[in-house]
């Protein structure tokens, strides 16, 4: 098949490489210009550079809303469009243009976690599995019929970075098998159940701010979800912002006011957590390592020289 590819960052790069390694012909690539957004600078393997290396025409667009782009796609005469991590809505005159429409690769197990940063949100929410879905694009946000899904389990110590590497490795076989099924006429599509759908927005600085009224179990997942190279979950100590690099749930239960720097436990320092922490029935969050704003990493036992005082959401 003749393929036009829309994609961006490492997800798009893996998808394009899978297409280049297949029996299909990539006739045009459309990708976004590089961005200064914190999350878009992390997994930023260049789709444009990979396409250029293989002599594939490339168009850079922030949005797919100009006549020149539509004319270029028509001239390329694709049998199918394949998209992965295209950051804006595609209009129907594009996604329905090829005979086989547009196959979108999304890094969640749809219909759950449509939208942005699905792995991070799934880890924060304590999901047991994460994965990748190949579905046909329609006018909704990741709502089209599903062709294939692949998943991996979430381990008790997994970070978002661990899950990124495991799910991005699913892209190549998923793309290859999806195109084989479509080209052979063997594709069987499954309608998404809207009752099971959920939609999530892009992550921002505010989403990394620690709220000490959350239970320690939730905060521990937030720290793992905001693992390096993502901007770490943060709090404030004596007016200074500190980022939590590693943490765990305490072995003992601690009562008091959420955010209290309370006691040493093992190789870390316990912070009282949970809206009902005053009852003494909740476990605390054990901070093990943290990073100050100057980039210096500290063991929590060295940073908190004395117990007492509070960690706060704002200075």
């Amino acid at each position: 098949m003749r393929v036009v590819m829309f994609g961006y960052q490492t997800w798009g790069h893996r998808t394009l490489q899978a297409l280049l390694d297949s029996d299909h012909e990539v006739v045009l690539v459309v990708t976004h210009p590089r961005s200064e957004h914190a999350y878009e600078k992390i997994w930023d393997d260049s789709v444009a550079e990979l396409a250029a290396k293989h002599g594939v025409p490339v168009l850079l667009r922030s949005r797919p809303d100009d006549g020149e782009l539509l004319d270029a796609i028509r001239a390329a005469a694709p049998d199918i469009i394949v998209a992965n991590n295209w950051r804006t809505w595609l209009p129907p005159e594009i996604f329905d243009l090829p005979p086989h429409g547009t196959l979108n690769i999304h890094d969640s197990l749809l219909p759950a976690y449509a939208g942005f940063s699905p792995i991070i949100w799934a880890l924060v929410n304590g999901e047991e599995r994460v994965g990748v879905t190949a579905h046909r694009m329609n006018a909704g946000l990741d709502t089209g019929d599903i062709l294939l899904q692949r998943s991996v389990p979430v381990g008790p110590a997994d970070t978002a970075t661990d899950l990124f590497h495991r799910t991005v490795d699913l892209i190549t076989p998923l793309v290859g098998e999806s195109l084989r099924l479509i080209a052979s006429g063997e594709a069987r599509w499954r309608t998404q159940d809207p009752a099971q759908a959920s939609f999530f927005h892009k992550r921002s600085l505010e989403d990394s701010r620690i709220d000490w009224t959350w239970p320690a179990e939730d905060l521990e997942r937030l720290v793992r979800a905001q693992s390096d190279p993502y901007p770490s979950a943060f709090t404030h100590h004596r007016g200074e912002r500190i980022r939590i690099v590693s943490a765990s749930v305490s072995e003992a239960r601690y009562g008091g006011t959420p955010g209290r720097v309370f006691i040493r436990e093992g190789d870390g320092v316990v912070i009282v957590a949970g809206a009902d922490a005053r009852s003494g029935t909740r476990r605390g969050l054990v901070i093990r390592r943290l990073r100050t704003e100057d980039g210096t990493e500290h063991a929590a036992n060295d940073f908190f020289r004395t117990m007492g005082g509070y960690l706060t959401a704002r200075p």
Side-chain angles (χ1 to χ4, degrees):
M1 295 187 292
R2 292 171 61 84
V3 182
V4 167
M5 188 266 180
F6 278 73
Y8 187 49
Q9 295 179 283
T10 300
W11 296 270
H13 188 279
R14 287 292 185 97
T15 301
L16 177 56
Q17 188 64 65
L19 293 170
L20 293 168
D21 291 341
S22 74
D23 295 331
H24 306 285
E25 181 185 5
V26 183
V27 293
L28 178 67
V29 166
V30 187
T31 187
H32 296 299
R34 285 191 180 273
S35 170
E36 292 303 309
H37 188 284
Y39 284 89
E40 293 184 9
K41 292 170 66 177
I42 296 173
W43 312 114
D44 64 347
D45 293 302
S46 174
V47 171
E49 291 177 6
L50 179 61
K53 178 181 176 182
H54 289 268
V56 179
V58 180
L59 292 175
L60 297 179
R61 291 293 189 277
S62 296
R63 304 186 65 83
D65 54 4
D66 63 276
E68 179 189 8
L69 175 60
L70 183 56
D71 289 344
I73 297 171
R74 285 174 174 155
D79 297 300
I80 192 169
I81 293 172
V82 177
N84 193 346
N85 199 38
W86 179 259
R87 310 294 278 179
T88 65
W89 182 68
L90 288 180
E93 55 264 32
I94 289 179
F95 68 69
D96 272 343
L97 188 153
H100 292 292
T102 295
L103 184 76
N104 187 52
I105 312 300
H106 181 71
D107 54 335
S108 84
L109 297 175
L110 294 174
Y113 296 94
F116 299 89
S117 305
I119 288 175
I120 295 178
W121 287 114
L123 182 51
V124 169
N125 291 332
E127 302 292 348
E128 294 182 355
R129 300 189 73 86
V130 294
V132 180
T133 299
H135 70 102
R136 180 155 181 167
M137 187 177 289
N138 62 12
L141 178 62
D142 300 323
T143 57
D145 291 352
I146 292 170
L147 178 57
L148 289 176
Q149 292 184 310
R150 298 290 183 267
S151 69
V152 293
V154 178
D158 280 340
T159 66
T161 303
D162 296 328
L163 297 176
F164 162 79
H165 287 297
R166 295 218 293 276
T167 55
V168 82
D169 284 345
L170 300 174
I171 291 173
T172 295
L174 187 77
V175 169
E177 178 64 7
S178 295
L179 293 187
R180 186 194 69 78
L181 291 171
I182 292 169
S184 67
E186 300 175 46
R188 299 293 180 266
W189 303 87
R190 173 168 55 89
T191 302
Q192 293 192 43
D193 179 1
Q196 302 299 316
S198 56
F199 304 87
F200 287 81
H201 59 74
K202 291 181 180 180
R203 300 287 296 182
S204 69
L205 180 66
E206 187 64 27
D207 301 306
S208 300
R209 189 187 305 275
I210 291 176
D211 179 348
W212 291 104
T213 64
W214 284 21
E217 293 83 358
D218 293 356
L219 292 177
E220 188 269 343
R221 290 198 305 273
L222 175 64
V223 170
R224 286 191 283 123
Q226 294 292 154
S227 59
D228 289 339
Y230 295 102
S232 300
F234 69 92
T235 186
H236 291 84
H237 179 250
R238 297 176 180 172
E240 177 188 5
R241 182 160 62 183
I242 58 173
R243 298 186 178 275
I244 310 305
V245 175
S246 65
S248 61
V249 177
S250 69
E251 294 182 4
R253 293 178 172 82
Y254 298 95
T257 301
R260 176 75 173 190
V261 182
F262 189 17
I263 194 171
R264 302 185 192 280
E265 184 181 281
D267 60 352
V269 173
V270 175
I271 312 300
V272 176
D276 56 351
R278 290 176 179 83
S279 68
T281 61
R282 305 296 304 192
R283 299 186 188 276
L285 185 74
V286 181
I287 298 178
R288 289 199 169 106
R289 298 196 67 81
L290 59 91
R291 186 179 297 123
T292 50
E293 282 294 270
D294 63 2
T296 304
E297 190 168 312
H298 303 265
N301 274 326
D302 296 332
F303 183 83
F304 297 107
R305 299 287 185 176
T306 59
M307 299 297 99
Y310 294 85
L311 300 184
T312 57
R314 301 183 186 277

